[in-house]
Amino acid sequence: MNNPIDIALPAGPVWIAADLHLGPDTPATIEAFLAFLEAAPEDAASLLLPGDIFDAWIGDDVIHIAPEWLAGVLSGLQHAAARLPIWIGRGNRDFLISEKLAAATGTHLLPDSARLQTQAGPVLLSHGDEYCLDDIAYQQFRTMVRNPQWQAQFLSKSIPERLAMAQEARAGSIQANSQKSMEIMDVNQDAIEAAFRSTGLSIMVHGHTHRPARHAIEVDGRHCERWVLPDWDCDHADPIRGGWLAIEEDGLVFYDLEQPEKP
């Protein structure tokens, strides 16, 4: 586990969203995300996107040859970042995001684990996959792809080669996950308690598991809360999924994407 790094946020409400999985086959989700980016500066003082913004990210150099869908997302981020501070983070799908993407969009890069000072008190924020210790195969994969040497070798390949490798890896992941129980792919309770214990914090926010909820737990007699962010899917799910967490003066609250009226 990484020690959390302090992130200085401006005073005011904090919005957090993760697991958007944007890609060429998610036009409706992209539309919802762009509307979300447009709305955020009206009500939030800062916006944090801790991972899996993209369904796959093969390296920041793709921004120079961005297809139309990606160019629209990057433009949306850039315009929103001119109106409020935005932090972007790495997830299990877009772990190759780096400072180059942040610089190109005017955003800031989140550390793997962050300590946020908010109106509701200090909050521990991460993507969340580091807590899924029962999924041993995934943790082995995570260790491999987070290795700087592996990343350098991967990024040295051509974009078509990287795309093919990413598609193959995604297909393998879908197949492997279909044979795993939800419990194995969820967070490990001991790892969660250890994070609360080592940081001394009482509120944790993460995504990754696609199981949005507020969990109240006791750690050494101390009341703690774990808030799990929802994933987004406006293209293949019925009803659509998506939303964000707002940290406000009165506490934390979930907001759902508005359900469009069906004819």
Side-chain angles (χ1 to χ4, degrees):
M1 303 290 176
N2 295 314
N3 292 324
I5 296 175
D6 289 303
I7 299 294
L9 299 177
V14 181
W15 282 13
I16 309 176
D19 298 293
L20 298 113
H21 305 294
L22 304 179
D25 61 343
T26 63
T29 308
I30 290 173
E31 183 180 359
F33 179 59
L34 293 177
F36 171 73
L37 289 177
E38 184 67 25
E42 302 295 331
D43 296 303
S46 57
L47 172 62
L48 293 88
L49 306 170
D52 280 7
I53 303 167
F54 303 100
D55 197 48
W57 191 255
I58 62 169
D60 286 359
D61 54 344
V62 299
I63 64 178
H64 302 301
I65 56 167
E68 185 176 357
W69 73 267
L70 178 55
V73 171
L74 299 179
S75 177
L77 282 169
Q78 189 175 43
H79 282 101
R83 301 171 62 198
L84 87 167
I86 299 178
W87 280 261
I88 59 174
R90 305 177 184 92
N92 56 295
R93 305 277 188 89
D94 48 16
F95 52 84
L96 286 172
I97 284 177
S98 76
E99 291 284 1
K100 292 180 181 179
L101 175 60
T105 53
T107 59
H108 310 276
L109 189 63
L110 277 171
D112 288 342
S113 180
R115 182 189 292 106
L116 313 177
Q117 298 298 331
T118 76
Q119 294 176 309
V123 173
L124 179 62
L125 175 70
S126 71
H127 181 63
D129 56 331
E130 70 270 36
Y131 300 125
C132 299
L133 299 184
D134 295 328
D135 192 344
I136 296 174
Y138 170 70
Q139 291 300 325
Q140 291 172 339
F141 170 81
R142 186 179 191 274
T143 299
M144 178 185 72
V145 299
R146 295 286 182 131
N147 184 291
Q149 183 177 1
W150 184 93
Q151 293 189 0
Q153 291 176 346
F154 180 81
L155 292 172
S156 69
K157 300 180 184 299
S158 68
I159 287 178
E161 286 177 312
R162 281 181 268 156
L163 280 171
M165 292 175 67
Q167 291 170 353
E168 183 179 355
R170 182 65 189 134
S173 175
I174 293 173
Q175 174 63 25
N177 288 345
S178 68
Q179 301 174 17
K180 297 176 183 177
S181 69
M182 289 299 296
E183 288 71 24
I184 286 178
M185 292 187 290
D186 203 354
V187 298
N188 176 279
Q189 187 66 18
D190 289 340
I192 295 298
E193 292 181 9
F196 278 124
R197 193 172 289 117
S198 64
T199 61
L201 301 182
S202 300
I203 302 176
M204 170 190 296
V205 176
H206 71 81
H208 179 65
T209 63
H210 303 183
R211 303 175 78 174
R214 169 188 170 273
H215 301 274
I217 63 174
E218 295 290 323
V219 179
D220 301 333
R222 182 164 53 94
H223 176 77
C224 297
E225 294 183 357
R226 178 171 68 91
W227 293 71
V228 186
L229 301 165
D231 66 312
W232 290 43
D233 188 348
C234 303
D235 294 275
H236 311 108
D238 187 13
I240 65 170
R241 297 194 304 270
W244 66 97
L245 179 70
I247 304 177
E248 303 169 344
E249 189 172 5
D250 294 334
L252 285 69
V253 59
F254 280 123
Y255 290 97
D256 291 328
L257 292 177
E258 290 186 359
Q259 301 284 332
E261 293 185 1
K262 294 187 177 181

